[in-house]
Amino acid sequence: MPKGSIPGERYSPTQPYSTGMPVIGADPLSERRMWGVSMFDQLWCRVAFRKLRYEGDMTPPSLEGTLQWPGFYGGMNWGSASVNRTNDYLIVNDIRLAQILRLVPRAETDRILGEPKVEGGAGHDGINPQAGAPYGALLTGFMSPLGVPCQNPPFGTMTAIDLKTRAIVWQKPLGTTQDTGPLGIKTHLRIPIGTPTLSGALTTGSGLIFYTGTTDYYLRAIDVRTGKELLAKRMPVGGQATPMTFVSPKTKKQYVVVTAGGARQSLDRGDLVIAYKLPD
């Protein structure tokens, strides 16, 4: 494993890796994988990549700036995975966003923490105090000046893994650019580039996957056997929570219920609980 240069830190010469299951969305980065919506931000990202320290997924934090990949939002996220018991498929969604991690000496960290707070921001980005440690941690997204991820898409996928063979059955980009875009401007184009995904998936015994955690505002129904999108129902705002389902004891109809509070990094917010009745 690569060694760090922070005084007083201890660095292990080895690290364990899990085996026997597929690795999702963690292929090593390279300058060739730097991407942009124009040749200018692609060039910017390539230069930035060369300036950052990156020696694989166990590259330790540094004072100069370390490229963290997978980033601190994922691969998999807090929504976790879902198991379809009918065919023993594990359903996994992931986030593919690189981040920059820079250690900040204690005095500078305290100075930054004492400055007036700026409203907004993106999730965990910014200074993290690490109280009691000699360094704070400054986290920023590895983004181009246009606000587009520097590494190539997809930025989120859904994967089905056969738990009997431990092999990938299918893997597809999840989400479109309809409600996102450069400089935070919505493209209004349903380009299936694959967006970062939050929350988990709901799978049903009949072989459907329901999902809302993309950055575009849709409830999706997906065929668990093939990954084919069967339904994309537009919601007023995005969702970040795992859907649930129930059968009404009175009508015997099945419903899928979602909460729609707004997709991460979106200015569109809501406080909705929406129930959709499934066809007979």
Side-chain angles (χ1 to χ4, degrees):
M1 291 294 113
K3 293 287 193 301
S5 58
I6 304 300
E9 283 292 287
R10 293 175 295 169
Y11 298 96
S12 174
T14 61
Q15 290 287 349
Y17 276 82
S18 298
T19 60
M21 289 289 281
V23 176
I24 305 298
D27 296 335
L29 291 180
S30 65
E31 185 179 337
R32 183 184 295 271
R33 290 187 60 187
M34 296 302 102
W35 181 83
V37 295
S38 73
M39 63 180 180
F40 301 106
D41 57 328
Q42 183 187 57
L43 176 61
W44 188 96
C45 289
R46 289 195 171 196
V47 172
F49 179 81
R50 287 197 168 213
K51 289 181 178 179
L52 294 167
R53 184 178 183 191
Y54 176 70
E55 300 171 54
D57 51 354
M58 295 292 182
T59 308
S62 65
L63 294 172
E64 299 76 25
T66 290
L67 187 59
Q68 185 174 326
W69 172 259
F72 48 80
Y73 288 126
M76 292 172 59
N77 207 280
W78 54 266
S80 193
S82 178
V83 176
N84 182 259
R85 298 296 298 274
T86 303
N87 50 19
D88 286 334
Y89 282 4
L90 180 71
I91 307 301
V92 179
N93 60 282
D94 67 81
I95 298 177
R96 304 187 186 193
L97 290 176
Q99 269 85 28
I100 300 170
L101 169 59
R102 183 170 72 87
L103 294 182
V104 181
R106 181 82 268 147
E108 184 182 351
T109 296
D110 293 341
R111 178 185 60 78
I112 296 173
L113 290 170
E115 294 176 350
K117 295 290 188 297
V118 177
E119 295 299 325
H124 302 289
D125 285 7
I127 192 73
N128 288 256
Q130 301 201 136
Y135 298 94
L138 183 63
L139 308 176
T140 55
F142 188 38
M143 312 285 278
S144 80
L146 296 180
V148 176
C150 270
Q151 93 278 347
N152 61 309
F155 308 124
T157 70
M158 181 168 280
T159 303
I161 301 170
D162 189 325
L163 291 175
K164 296 184 290 293
T165 64
R166 300 184 180 183
I168 291 177
V169 181
W170 53 262
Q171 182 178 91
K172 297 191 175 182
L174 192 61
T176 73
T177 60
Q178 181 171 350
D179 297 297
T180 55
L183 301 175
I185 302 171
K186 297 180 182 182
T187 68
H188 301 288
L189 301 174
R190 293 194 66 190
I191 303 173
I193 199 172
T195 71
T197 65
L198 290 169
S199 80
L202 162 72
T203 60
T204 68
S206 62
L208 293 177
I209 303 169
F210 290 98
Y211 193 79
T212 64
T214 54
T215 58
D216 57 357
Y217 308 164
Y218 286 94
L219 167 66
R220 287 178 167 84
I222 299 166
D223 188 327
V224 73
R225 298 165 300 174
T226 64
K228 181 180 179 181
E229 185 178 290
L230 305 176
L231 170 73
K233 183 70 174 177
R234 183 73 172 169
M235 300 189 299
V237 296
Q240 294 189 37
T242 304
M244 64 162 288
T245 186
F246 69 93
V247 175
S248 168
K250 292 184 178 181
T251 66
K252 308 304 180 184
K253 303 290 186 180
Q254 186 173 5
Y255 297 83
V256 171
V257 181
V258 302
T259 59
R264 176 169 287 193
Q265 300 180 352
S266 170
L267 296 178
D268 297 334
R269 292 294 167 193
D271 57 355
L272 305 170
V273 178
I274 309 172
Y276 297 95
K277 182 171 68 70
L278 301 188
D280 293 334

